[in-house]
Amino acid sequence: METLCSSSLLTLSSINFAGAGSVSVPGFSLPSLKTRAFPVCIRKHSAVGIPRASVAVEQQTQKAKLALIRIGTRGSPLALAQAHETRDKLMASHPDLAEEGAIQIVIIKTTGDKILSQPLADIGGKGLFTKEIDEALINGEIDIAVHSMKDVPTYLPDKTILPCNLPREDVRDAFISLTVSSLADLPAGSTIGTASLRRKSQILNRYPSLNVLENFRGNVQTRLRKLNEKVVQATLLALAGLKRLDMTENVTSILSLDEMLPAVAQGAIGIACRSNDDKMANYIASLNHEETRLAVACERAFLLTLDGSCRTPIAGYASRDGDGNCIFKGLVASPDGTRVLETSRKGTYAFQDMINMGKDAGQELLSRAGPGFFDS
């Protein structure tokens, strides 16, 4: 196996790495990420066999040795956009990190990236998009890890901490279709593509005449291509991701929170480091957005109480109202959407109070749901 390190911007299109430029999908304008070039390390391997490890780590070159921070991330355009955002904020906040080569991006392929032929619920387990990145962090192959918080299990691996959430993007879901303007306008029998049981259950609860294609997976560009190829009549995507990719021109309409409650921690980016690495902890703690961190903590306490996984349709959202209080809304649903249970809480926008709100809401819904609810 040969390791290559390039200081040019890599943009992912399907499985090909290309130089800086746009990623194009027929029928859609998918602009390139507007960021400066950064060192990215990928592993090159022959067509025979699959590399044993998924972590692309550059150890040989002088440039890698000079890097003060190695950021671990998945390789999708959205994951790279989030790594870019983290890098840019670090550079702006710390002059010692503004030098060329001071921050290196390391692309890591996760289990969720490798297995695309099955719905996430069928793969099972937690941490499908984080496990390999966490292992690289613990093993010292990267210094910090950038995650989409909705992918992070409710537990953190030993020897790691997550002291930072960046300012949260719009939490709502976007409806995208080439033929109609909203979910309500889809004719009976139409098929919507989504890999999310949360979305599926809420769609079917409101529109039982629609069909849902569950194994509608891939990055944003892949799913838009499938829509353009008429594999489905519509899809839902997180508006946060489309904004970070500068792809909001593809949005047909935006679903309100009453129509579609978001996933726990949707729109939030988390940055982790090793628990014994005070230097990295101080770097990333300086980027923390406390309002986002508290909201995410509340939602994750709700999820932890429900012991949610990819097989359980769960939604939760905590926000600050005009009076400065925390408003939490939570939901659990049967996979087929025939039953949806909702609850809400209001309290002080403070860490422990919000943790308690999330736990209490989760315990209420567990009690109301009863045994076997998620098996229906």
Side-chain angles (χ1 to χ4, degrees):
M1 182 176 297
E2 178 186 355
T3 303
L4 302 180
C5 189
S6 169
S7 61
S8 62
L9 178 65
L10 295 188
T11 304
L12 293 179
S13 175
S14 182
I15 60 171
N16 296 315
F17 290 95
S22 63
V23 181
S24 60
V25 175
F28 292 90
S29 173
L30 308 181
S32 60
L33 305 177
K34 297 178 178 65
T35 57
R36 287 168 288 182
F38 58 87
V40 177
C41 289
I42 61 173
R43 276 187 175 177
K44 181 179 179 181
H45 55 88
S46 63
V48 179
I50 298 174
R52 224 175 17 209
S54 301
V55 184
V57 181
E58 168 57 49
Q59 295 176 326
Q60 284 76 31
T61 69
Q62 184 67 23
K63 186 170 288 187
K65 290 178 182 178
L66 292 175
L68 298 178
I69 297 182
R70 295 162 298 170
I71 299 176
T73 176
R74 294 170 60 205
S76 71
L78 177 55
L80 287 174
Q82 295 177 165
H84 296 175
E85 182 177 344
T86 301
R87 179 208 60 184
D88 291 348
K89 288 180 181 296
L90 284 168
M91 292 174 68
S93 301
H94 302 279
D96 56 321
L97 299 179
E99 298 293 327
E100 183 180 357
I103 300 178
Q104 180 190 15
I105 305 290
V106 181
I107 295 175
I108 300 170
K109 198 164 188 178
T110 67
T111 301
D113 297 314
K114 297 173 190 173
I115 305 174
L116 295 175
S117 59
Q118 298 171 258
L120 292 174
D122 291 349
I123 300 172
K126 298 181 181 179
L128 293 174
F129 294 105
T130 59
K131 181 175 178 286
E132 286 80 2
I133 300 176
D134 290 333
E135 289 173 349
L137 181 61
I138 292 167
N139 293 336
E141 296 164 339
I142 57 174
D143 301 302
I144 65 174
V146 177
H147 296 300
S148 292
M149 280 304 300
K150 69 177 182 178
D151 293 335
V152 177
T154 49
Y155 63 88
L156 293 178
D158 289 341
K159 302 180 182 178
T160 71
I161 56 173
L162 203 159
C164 173
N165 289 125
L166 298 186
R168 197 172 197 173
E169 248 299 355
D170 198 315
V171 303
R172 294 174 296 173
D173 282 321
F175 174 79
I176 304 175
S177 175
L178 302 178
T179 56
V180 298
S181 60
S182 68
L183 274 171
D185 293 333
L186 283 169
S190 297
T191 299
I192 303 174
T194 178
S196 162
L197 290 183
R198 169 190 65 88
R199 291 179 178 128
K200 173 189 173 183
S201 61
Q202 292 185 75
I203 290 169
L204 293 180
N205 180 258
R206 286 176 172 269
Y207 307 101
S209 66
L210 299 178
N211 299 315
V212 175
L213 177 63
E214 282 186 47
N215 193 28
F216 196 75
R217 295 191 50 211
N219 61 36
V220 171
Q221 287 83 351
T222 298
R223 282 181 273 179
L224 290 177
R225 189 192 72 239
K226 290 179 181 178
L227 176 65
N228 196 56
E229 293 170 352
K230 298 182 173 54
V231 175
V232 295
Q233 282 73 59
T235 190
L236 300 183
L237 294 173
L239 183 58
L242 293 168
K243 285 189 171 186
R244 289 188 175 120
L245 289 169
D246 290 331
M247 292 173 59
T248 54
E249 71 275 11
N250 295 302
V251 175
T252 304
S253 59
I254 299 172
L255 279 66
S256 71
L257 296 178
D258 291 332
E259 292 176 284
M260 182 67 61
L261 200 62
V264 163
Q266 183 157 309
I269 296 171
I271 310 175
C273 67
R274 288 179 293 276
S275 55
N276 64 353
D277 193 337
D278 293 340
K279 183 176 182 180
M280 292 301 138
N282 289 332
Y283 273 138
I284 62 180
S286 68
L287 307 185
N288 180 58
H289 186 254
E290 189 65 0
E291 182 174 333
T292 297
R293 188 183 76 87
L294 296 186
V296 167
C298 177
E299 295 165 21
R300 284 167 59 82
F302 173 71
L303 183 65
L304 176 63
T305 303
L306 291 167
D307 192 26
S309 72
C310 288
R311 291 187 175 276
T312 49
I314 296 171
Y317 178 49
S319 60
R320 192 196 293 267
D321 69 8
D323 297 323
N325 294 310
C326 174
I327 303 295
F328 174 77
K329 295 181 179 180
L331 172 156
V332 297
S334 59
D336 62 4
T338 54
R339 292 184 66 196
V340 172
L341 304 178
E342 300 177 78
T343 190
S344 63
R345 295 289 186 279
K346 182 177 180 178
T348 307
Y349 208 99
F351 181 78
Q352 196 55 54
D353 290 338
M354 293 170 70
I355 293 290
N356 293 339
M357 273 190 277
K359 288 181 178 179
D360 189 63
Q363 288 165 353
E364 178 201 327
L365 292 186
L366 273 180
S367 176
R368 288 169 57 191
F373 177 83
F374 294 114
D375 300 326
S376 59

